[in-house]
Amino acid sequence: MTGGRGETITTTGHAVTWRRPPLIRDRRWRWGLMAGTAVYLALAIASIEVDWSRVVDGLARGAAFVAAFAQPDFVSRWEDIVAGILESLTMTVVSTFIGILLSIPVGLGAARNVSAWPVYMFCRGMIAVSRTFQEVIIAILFVAMFGFGPLAGVVTLAFATIGFMAKLLAEDIESIDWRQVEAVRATGAGWWQLMNHAVQPQVTPRLLGLSLYRLDINFRESAVIGIVGAGGIGATLNTAIDRYEYGSAAAILLVIIAIVMVTEYASSHARRFLQ
Amino acid sequence: MAGIPMLRLAGVSKRYGKDVPALSDIDLSLPRGQVLALIGPSGAGKSTLIRCVNRLVEPTQGHVWLEDIAVTRLRGAQLRRARRSMGMIFQEYALVDRLTVMENVLSGRLGYVGFWRSFLRRYPGEDVAEALRMLERVGMPDSMDKRADALSGGQRQRVGIARALLQAPSLLLIDEPTASLDPRTSRQIMRLIRELCSERDLAAIINIHDVALAQRFADRIVGLRDGRIVYDGTPDGLTPAVLTTIYGEEEWSTAPAGDEESGGVGHTRQMPLPVGDAS
Amino acid sequence: MPLSIATRNHQPVWRRRTTRAQWALWSAWLVGTALLVLCSKVIADNTTWSFVADAGRQAGDLIGRMLPPEWYYAGELWRPLWDTLNIATLGTGLGILIAFPIAFLAARNTSPHPALRPLALMVIVSSRSINSLIWALLLVLILGPGTLAGIIAIALRSIGFIGKLLYEAIEEIHLTPMEAVSATGASRLQLMSYGVLPQIMPAFAGISVYRWDINIREATVLGLVGAGGIGLELNASINTLAWDRVAVIFVLIFATVMVSEWVSAKVRHAII
């Protein structure tokens, strides 16, 4: 961080030019990084295999699909759409509730400052597994276990919620103001009282905000896991696309977008209210 | 055009929404090379006044002339051309933190160079040379590759001054240059501004809270209260009675009794005129 | 909260909430509980409970089939893994290129025209609402199966994410440097490049790396609908009930995502 003059100023004759100091000061690193990026991009792009004749065929379908958005067909599959959306919504509500309920003990267990070592390791492991695997992969496993239907979806989303919420909750608990905890402990409070009076007030507002946020995410995910048989609007959508019913597919997508917009708007208002 | 003042304001008013006007009917004219200090209580409209000059704030009524250019009638590129001849210096320095000192100084040339040149940081040689001279002049010859957020308050303000001067302005608009600085640095900065104005024959309007500094470094004082000019004269003319007119009687009376009885000039007493530190 | 103090038998009674707040809270709980019970019932009605009763045995069976994993199968997975990384990386890159200008159109303080702002917000919301797997489903239909569909699906989903966070960052920048840059007589584009860009650069880099990390995870499943990457192998192994291969794929995905999360955390830490 020295402001030496020699590096960025060059004088040729009377003209002075100045160059912005480079982001990476070491010349070898800078060029190495640029060359590495260029090589990677070249290799990566070269490894994309595209069947251009297939793409040309598909463009007509693409155009038909875009056109379908202008004239979505809500009518012919109306009952399937309503049933699918309702199933998605119920899955969202139940899974969010169960997930949050379970994420509280897991989050407490995964916070190093309030938890014992073996419990900590177990909870952290669970969070890692839940966060690493995309919901759809988890859904495949639960469908194999519980059979097709919304229950597998609920369990999947609840499991994903645990990973999401418990991690953030644990981080929150780890960064709470320890003086408040000590002050409550000084009154002779037990562990549960400590959690209730010193920890809970510090983490509750964010916990509520995150719950609403997770509700949004769970709805969006519930629209996908149906593709592998875990219930919700995804199955309907998948069928519509497979059967080339673009009008119905566009209708379903528009309904999803509308619901996401409404929940997002509502939850941002609710979060402001809670703060 | 010796007869035309550097800057002239005629009937300038500014009203934010439906509130009481921030400025009403300001007439002011500033000859070339004059340093004018604008004093007055917070909310008197000092900041609004200088921002109306370069139209960072759009005046609701009235006209501003920069020599023979009617600034209030300009649009787009013409307005930008007028702005580049009015250098502005800010209270919180207003440097772009994540850019280097040199980039901040060179940004004073933005009104002169094209977009791509400025985007690629390829400034003309004479601009770079001038930037180096300015950094030297404001006493920061060796910091050009430091990032702006690595500097102290006084250093930042020096960079801000260098940036304004790189515009090759004929007028400086200076908004509370010392409000965030300690007393010693404040005096150094004010002296620097004063010297640069004399060297380059620049006119300047300086908004300032500190009456003592204003008296020490300005040629002329204008007192603003509730958006109107209530005093316009020499620094010597700032009698206790005048200060009362500017800062308001009721403000004195809310202070603890017995403290302000000798003429009600709390401001000047708190900051006595400095001696022995003159340039 | 003096309102929560009532007097009964000359003894002050303290309550945490006022009566009205208490009622509002109780009714909120009531509505919430009713909704939850209703939803649970709908789920329960649509569940085949004989399968659920069997779930423990099924899980045991599944684990039994996974063990021992067929480790040498990993040798066939490098190419799909490379594709997965490319889908995530190129998709993120493409998404950034599109999201960047859209964020400027969507931010209140940089939008050049009031009519463009709702349009940009519309693009962001649509992109955010639709999962990358659904995008992939559509794109496979149009472009045919392969990594290209995956890359574009990831890009389309990333536009909304990056665009939203970036425009929020743009709306939070400090105004004084902007004012100072305008005062030099800078043009609109110069104002963007000197006043706005340096202020949002750290946020922009952080958001991009964060999305890349998420995209690695998303890219692992795109193959399920034919959009390339390791998901294709996963799909094939599941369809042939080769659970010992599925186990290998899981281990590989776990390791990849862990590494990408570590890289992303390191980079974001270095930026801040």
Side-chain angles (χ1 to χ4, degrees), chain A residues 149-202:
Chain A
L151 185 71
V154 168
V155 179
T156 303
L157 293 178
F159 186 66
T161 305
I162 293 174
F164 176 86
M165 295 288 293
K167 175 163 187 272
L168 296 170
L169 187 61
E171 280 168 5
D172 255 23
I173 296 173
E174 281 172 358
S175 65
I176 56 172
D177 183 355
W178 202 246
R179 287 169 306 176
Q180 297 182 32
V181 178
E182 284 183 333
V184 174
R185 187 179 277 158
T187 65
W191 191 86
W192 286 106
Q193 287 173 320
L194 202 64
M195 292 299 126
N196 181 233
H197 275 82
V199 177
Q200 193 195 336
Q202 293 193 53

Side-chain angles (χ1 to χ4, degrees), chain A residues 40 44 47-48 54 58 61-62 65 94 97 131-132 134 136-137 146 151 220-221 224 241 246 261 264, chain C residues 36 39 51-52 79 82 86 89 125 128 131 133 138 140-142 144 151 217-218 221 224 250 254 257:
Chain A
Y40 168 75
S47 75
I48 304 174
R54 174 68 182 76
R61 284 190 213 165
F65 199 87
V94 177
F97 176 77
R131 288 174 57 83
T132 306
Q134 226 273 345
V136 175
I137 294 182
F146 294 107
L151 185 71
R220 269 178 255 173
E221 292 297 330
V224 184
I241 291 177
Y246 301 131
M261 276 175 81
E264 202 161 86
Chain C
L36 187 67
C39 291
F51 282 141
V52 178
R79 178 62 210 257
W82 163 251
N86 290 341
T89 310
V125 170
R128 275 165 56 74
N131 198 291
L133 199 65
L138 298 175
V140 167
L141 199 75
I142 296 169
I151 291 169
R217 198 172 324 206
E218 303 265 303
V221 295
L224 292 174
F250 280 178
F254 190 80
V257 173

Side-chain angles (χ1 to χ4, degrees), chain B residues 80-278:
Chain B
R80 294 202 296 272
R81 197 165 308 135
R83 272 182 183 164
R84 73 186 190 194
S85 50
M86 297 182 272
M88 190 156 177
I89 297 169
F90 293 80
Q91 171 178 359
E92 302 285 350
Y93 331 120
L95 301 183
V96 184
D97 276 344
R98 299 187 63 88
L99 295 184
T100 62
V101 166
M102 193 61 170
E103 283 171 293
N104 269 295
V105 175
L106 282 171
S107 73
R109 299 303 292 177
L110 286 177
Y112 294 87
V113 301
F115 172 71
W116 286 110
R117 239 174 203 283
S118 66
F119 185 75
L120 299 170
R121 313 297 196 253
R122 296 291 162 85
Y123 285 87
E126 58 266 35
D127 289 1
V128 177
E130 174 66 9
L132 286 172
R133 271 198 296 280
M134 274 322 304
L135 278 173
E136 191 114 34
R137 176 64 190 84
V138 298
M140 308 256 316
D142 291 322
S143 317
M144 62 173 206
D145 288 339
K146 276 190 192 155
R147 248 170 54 170
D149 50 10
L151 304 178
S152 71
Q155 289 175 319
R156 289 164 151 241
Q157 194 55 292
R158 286 169 195 274
V159 175
I161 292 170
R163 171 176 63 188
L165 285 169
L166 209 67
Q167 288 175 227
S170 43
L171 170 70
L172 284 179
L173 303 169
I174 308 177
D175 192 15
E176 305 280 4
T178 62
S180 315
L181 301 174
D182 66 55
R184 179 164 170 268
T185 319
S186 297
R187 288 178 49 77
Q188 291 169 342
I189 291 292
M190 284 301 288
R191 188 173 317 117
L192 179 65
I193 290 172
R194 178 72 241 203
E195 284 169 11
L196 288 164
C197 286
S198 315
E199 279 167 25
R200 303 178 165 229
D201 200 19
L202 293 178
I205 302 182
I206 309 179
N207 279 351
I208 190 155
H209 261 304
D210 188 327
V211 177
L213 277 179
Q215 283 179 306
R216 172 76 184 74
F217 290 105
D219 303 323
R220 172 180 165 196
I221 307 259
V222 166
L224 213 57
R225 182 175 171 191
D226 298 334
R228 291 175 187 281
I229 293 179
V230 292
Y231 175 80
D232 186 350
T234 58
D236 303 334
L238 272 186
T239 58
V242 170
L243 280 170
T244 308
T245 336
I246 298 171
Y247 286 97
E249 197 115 44
E250 58 276 85
E251 290 185 9
W252 310 137
S253 60
T254 55
D259 197 35
E260 311 291 347
E261 275 164 3
S262 55
V265 208
H267 282 74
T268 46
R269 272 202 314 174
Q270 281 162 15
M271 288 174 197
L273 286 181
V275 276
D277 192 19

Side-chain angles (χ1 to χ4, degrees), chain A residues 40-41 43-45 47-52 54-55 57-59 61-63 65 69 86-87 89-91 93-94 97-98 125 128-137 140-141 144-151 154 167 213 216 220-221 223-224 227-228 234 237-238 241-242 244 246 249 253 256-258 260-261 264, chain C residues 29 32 35-36 38-40 42-43 46-49 51-52 54-56 58-59 62 66 79 82-83 85-87 89-90 122 125-126 128-134 137-138 140-148 151 157 161 164 210 217-221 224-225 234 238 243 246 249-251 253-255 257-258 261:
Chain A
Y40 168 75
L41 279 180
L43 285 177
I45 292 171
S47 75
I48 304 174
E49 286 157 9
V50 187
D51 179 355
W52 289 109
R54 174 68 182 76
V55 172
D57 289 348
L59 283 181
R61 284 190 213 165
F65 199 87
F69 267 99
L86 280 180
E87 196 166 76
L89 286 172
T90 50
M91 280 161 60
V93 171
V94 177
F97 176 77
I98 297 175
V129 171
S130 157
R131 288 174 57 83
T132 306
F133 292 106
Q134 226 273 345
E135 280 85 343
V136 175
I137 294 182
I140 292 173
L141 293 179
M145 280 168 65
F146 294 107
F148 293 105
L151 185 71
V154 168
K167 175 163 187 272
Y213 180 48
D216 278 4
R220 269 178 255 173
E221 292 297 330
V224 184
I227 295 175
V228 294
L237 180 62
N238 201 12
I241 291 177
D242 277 351
Y244 305 115
Y246 301 131
L253 289 178
I256 294 175
I257 293 175
V260 169
M261 276 175 81
E264 202 161 86
Chain C
W29 274 108
L35 187 68
L36 187 67
L38 191 74
C39 291
S40 310
V42 172
I43 302 283
N46 286 316
T47 305
T48 320
W49 289 101
F51 282 141
V52 178
D54 203 28
Q58 287 291 340
L62 217 58
M66 281 184 178
R79 178 62 210 257
W82 163 251
D83 282 342
L85 286 178
N86 290 341
I87 290 172
T89 310
L90 297 178
M122 191 62 212
V125 170
S126 313
R128 275 165 56 74
S129 313
I130 299 177
N131 198 291
S132 50
L133 199 65
I134 298 179
L137 208 62
L138 298 175
V140 167
L141 199 75
I142 296 169
L143 302 172
T147 45
L148 185 64
I151 291 169
R157 174 66 182 85
F161 182 92
K164 175 164 194 270
Y210 182 40
R217 198 172 324 206
E218 303 265 303
T220 57
V221 295
L224 292 174
V225 297
L234 183 63
I238 289 174
W243 291 98
V246 172
I249 295 173
F250 280 178
V251 170
I253 290 178
F254 190 80
V257 173
M258 281 309 216
E261 200 168 287

